[in-house]
Short mmCIF file of all heavy atoms in Angstrom, two decimals:
data_model
loop_
_atom_site.label_atom_id
_atom_site.label_comp_id
_atom_site.label_asym_id
_atom_site.label_seq_id
_atom_site.Cartn_x
_atom_site.Cartn_y
_atom_site.Cartn_z
N ILE A 297 16.69 -39.17 4.32
CA ILE A 297 15.85 -40.36 4.41
C ILE A 297 14.86 -40.38 3.25
O ILE A 297 13.98 -39.53 3.19
CB ILE A 297 15.10 -40.40 5.75
CG1 ILE A 297 16.07 -40.10 6.92
CG2 ILE A 297 14.42 -41.75 5.93
CD1 ILE A 297 17.27 -40.99 7.04
N HIS A 298 15.03 -41.34 2.36
CA HIS A 298 14.17 -41.46 1.19
C HIS A 298 13.03 -42.40 1.56
O HIS A 298 13.18 -43.60 1.63
CB HIS A 298 14.98 -42.02 0.02
CG HIS A 298 14.22 -42.07 -1.28
ND1 HIS A 298 14.82 -42.44 -2.45
CD2 HIS A 298 12.94 -41.78 -1.58
CE1 HIS A 298 13.92 -42.39 -3.44
NE2 HIS A 298 12.76 -42.01 -2.90
N LEU A 299 11.86 -41.81 1.80
CA LEU A 299 10.70 -42.57 2.31
C LEU A 299 9.90 -43.14 1.16
O LEU A 299 8.91 -42.56 0.70
CB LEU A 299 9.84 -41.67 3.18
CG LEU A 299 10.49 -41.20 4.51
CD1 LEU A 299 9.64 -40.19 5.21
CD2 LEU A 299 10.79 -42.41 5.42
N MET A 300 10.28 -44.30 0.70
CA MET A 300 9.54 -45.05 -0.30
C MET A 300 8.52 -45.94 0.41
O MET A 300 8.60 -47.17 0.34
CB MET A 300 10.48 -45.85 -1.18
CG MET A 300 11.33 -45.01 -2.11
SD MET A 300 12.45 -45.96 -3.14
CE MET A 300 13.85 -46.10 -2.04
N ILE A 301 7.60 -45.29 1.10
CA ILE A 301 6.64 -46.00 1.92
C ILE A 301 5.26 -45.36 1.79
O ILE A 301 5.13 -44.20 1.43
CB ILE A 301 7.06 -46.00 3.42
CG1 ILE A 301 7.16 -44.59 3.94
CG2 ILE A 301 8.41 -46.70 3.60
CD1 ILE A 301 7.52 -44.48 5.41
N SER A 302 4.24 -46.16 2.11
CA SER A 302 2.89 -45.63 2.17
C SER A 302 2.74 -44.86 3.49
O SER A 302 3.31 -45.22 4.51
CB SER A 302 1.87 -46.78 2.14
OG SER A 302 2.03 -47.54 0.97
N ASP A 303 1.99 -43.78 3.44
CA ASP A 303 1.74 -42.95 4.63
C ASP A 303 3.00 -42.54 5.36
O ASP A 303 3.19 -42.87 6.55
CB ASP A 303 0.81 -43.72 5.61
CG ASP A 303 -0.52 -44.04 4.97
OD1 ASP A 303 -1.09 -43.17 4.31
OD2 ASP A 303 -0.99 -45.17 5.14
N PRO A 304 3.91 -41.81 4.70
CA PRO A 304 5.16 -41.41 5.37
C PRO A 304 4.95 -40.57 6.63
O PRO A 304 5.81 -40.57 7.51
CB PRO A 304 5.88 -40.62 4.28
CG PRO A 304 4.83 -40.16 3.34
CD PRO A 304 3.81 -41.26 3.35
N ASP A 305 3.81 -39.88 6.70
CA ASP A 305 3.55 -39.00 7.86
C ASP A 305 3.64 -39.76 9.18
O ASP A 305 4.05 -39.23 10.21
CB ASP A 305 2.17 -38.37 7.76
CG ASP A 305 2.02 -37.55 6.48
OD1 ASP A 305 2.02 -38.15 5.40
OD2 ASP A 305 1.90 -36.32 6.58
N PHE A 306 3.27 -41.04 9.16
CA PHE A 306 3.25 -41.83 10.39
C PHE A 306 4.65 -42.12 10.94
O PHE A 306 4.79 -42.56 12.07
CB PHE A 306 2.52 -43.15 10.18
CG PHE A 306 1.05 -42.99 9.95
CD1 PHE A 306 0.43 -43.60 8.88
CD2 PHE A 306 0.26 -42.23 10.80
CE1 PHE A 306 -0.93 -43.45 8.64
CE2 PHE A 306 -1.10 -42.07 10.59
CZ PHE A 306 -1.70 -42.70 9.51
N PHE A 307 5.66 -41.90 10.11
CA PHE A 307 7.03 -42.29 10.51
C PHE A 307 7.96 -41.11 10.68
O PHE A 307 9.13 -41.30 11.06
CB PHE A 307 7.61 -43.27 9.46
CG PHE A 307 6.83 -44.53 9.30
CD1 PHE A 307 5.83 -44.63 8.38
CD2 PHE A 307 7.10 -45.62 10.11
CE1 PHE A 307 5.08 -45.80 8.22
CE2 PHE A 307 6.37 -46.80 9.99
CZ PHE A 307 5.35 -46.89 9.05
N LEU A 308 7.50 -39.92 10.42
CA LEU A 308 8.38 -38.75 10.49
C LEU A 308 8.95 -38.52 11.88
O LEU A 308 10.16 -38.26 12.04
CB LEU A 308 7.64 -37.50 10.04
CG LEU A 308 7.19 -37.47 8.57
CD1 LEU A 308 6.36 -36.23 8.29
CD2 LEU A 308 8.38 -37.55 7.65
N ASP A 309 8.13 -38.64 12.92
CA ASP A 309 8.61 -38.42 14.28
C ASP A 309 9.65 -39.46 14.67
O ASP A 309 10.69 -39.14 15.26
CB ASP A 309 7.45 -38.47 15.27
CG ASP A 309 6.57 -37.24 15.19
OD1 ASP A 309 7.06 -36.17 14.82
OD2 ASP A 309 5.38 -37.36 15.51
N GLU A 310 9.38 -40.73 14.33
CA GLU A 310 10.32 -41.80 14.66
C GLU A 310 11.69 -41.58 14.04
O GLU A 310 12.73 -41.72 14.71
CB GLU A 310 9.74 -43.13 14.20
CG GLU A 310 10.64 -44.34 14.50
CD GLU A 310 10.06 -45.65 14.02
OE1 GLU A 310 8.95 -45.63 13.41
OE2 GLU A 310 10.70 -46.70 14.26
N PHE A 311 11.73 -41.24 12.76
CA PHE A 311 12.99 -41.04 12.09
C PHE A 311 13.67 -39.72 12.53
O PHE A 311 14.91 -39.65 12.53
CB PHE A 311 12.82 -41.06 10.57
CG PHE A 311 12.72 -42.46 10.01
CD1 PHE A 311 11.50 -43.00 9.66
CD2 PHE A 311 13.84 -43.23 9.84
CE1 PHE A 311 11.39 -44.30 9.15
CE2 PHE A 311 13.77 -44.53 9.34
CZ PHE A 311 12.53 -45.04 8.99
N THR A 312 12.90 -38.77 12.92
CA THR A 312 13.49 -37.53 13.48
C THR A 312 14.20 -37.83 14.79
O THR A 312 15.32 -37.35 15.03
CB THR A 312 12.40 -36.48 13.67
OG1 THR A 312 11.86 -36.08 12.40
CG2 THR A 312 12.98 -35.23 14.37
N GLU A 313 13.58 -38.63 15.63
CA GLU A 313 14.14 -38.94 16.94
C GLU A 313 15.47 -39.65 16.87
O GLU A 313 16.29 -39.53 17.79
CB GLU A 313 13.12 -39.77 17.73
CG GLU A 313 11.89 -38.97 18.16
CD GLU A 313 10.80 -39.86 18.75
OE1 GLU A 313 11.03 -41.11 18.86
OE2 GLU A 313 9.72 -39.34 19.08
N VAL A 314 15.71 -40.43 15.81
CA VAL A 314 16.97 -41.17 15.71
C VAL A 314 18.06 -40.43 14.96
O VAL A 314 19.13 -40.98 14.74
CB VAL A 314 16.74 -42.57 15.08
CG1 VAL A 314 15.86 -43.41 16.00
CG2 VAL A 314 16.13 -42.45 13.71
N GLY A 315 17.78 -39.17 14.55
CA GLY A 315 18.85 -38.35 14.02
C GLY A 315 18.81 -38.05 12.54
O GLY A 315 19.84 -37.61 11.96
N SER A 316 17.66 -38.17 11.89
CA SER A 316 17.56 -37.84 10.47
C SER A 316 17.66 -36.33 10.28
O SER A 316 17.20 -35.55 11.14
CB SER A 316 16.21 -38.33 9.91
OG SER A 316 16.05 -39.73 10.13
N ASP A 317 18.24 -35.93 9.17
CA ASP A 317 18.41 -34.51 8.87
C ASP A 317 17.51 -34.01 7.74
O ASP A 317 17.23 -32.81 7.66
CB ASP A 317 19.86 -34.23 8.47
CG ASP A 317 20.82 -34.51 9.60
OD1 ASP A 317 20.82 -33.76 10.59
OD2 ASP A 317 21.58 -35.52 9.51
N ALA A 318 17.04 -34.90 6.89
CA ALA A 318 16.25 -34.51 5.74
C ALA A 318 15.34 -35.64 5.34
O ALA A 318 15.68 -36.82 5.51
CB ALA A 318 17.15 -34.12 4.56
N PHE A 319 14.18 -35.29 4.79
CA PHE A 319 13.23 -36.28 4.32
C PHE A 319 12.90 -36.06 2.85
O PHE A 319 12.64 -34.95 2.41
CB PHE A 319 11.92 -36.23 5.14
CG PHE A 319 12.07 -36.70 6.55
CD1 PHE A 319 12.09 -35.78 7.61
CD2 PHE A 319 12.22 -38.04 6.83
CE1 PHE A 319 12.23 -36.19 8.91
CE2 PHE A 319 12.37 -38.48 8.15
CZ PHE A 319 12.37 -37.56 9.20
#
Side-chain angles (χ1 to χ4, degrees):
I297 314 303
H298 186 175
L299 293 172
M300 289 180 273
I301 61 178
S302 302
D303 299 317
D305 302 67
F306 292 129
F307 299 92
L308 295 175
D309 288 332
E310 179 181 3
F311 280 102
T312 295
E313 290 170 2
V314 295
S316 304
D317 297 290
F319 290 106

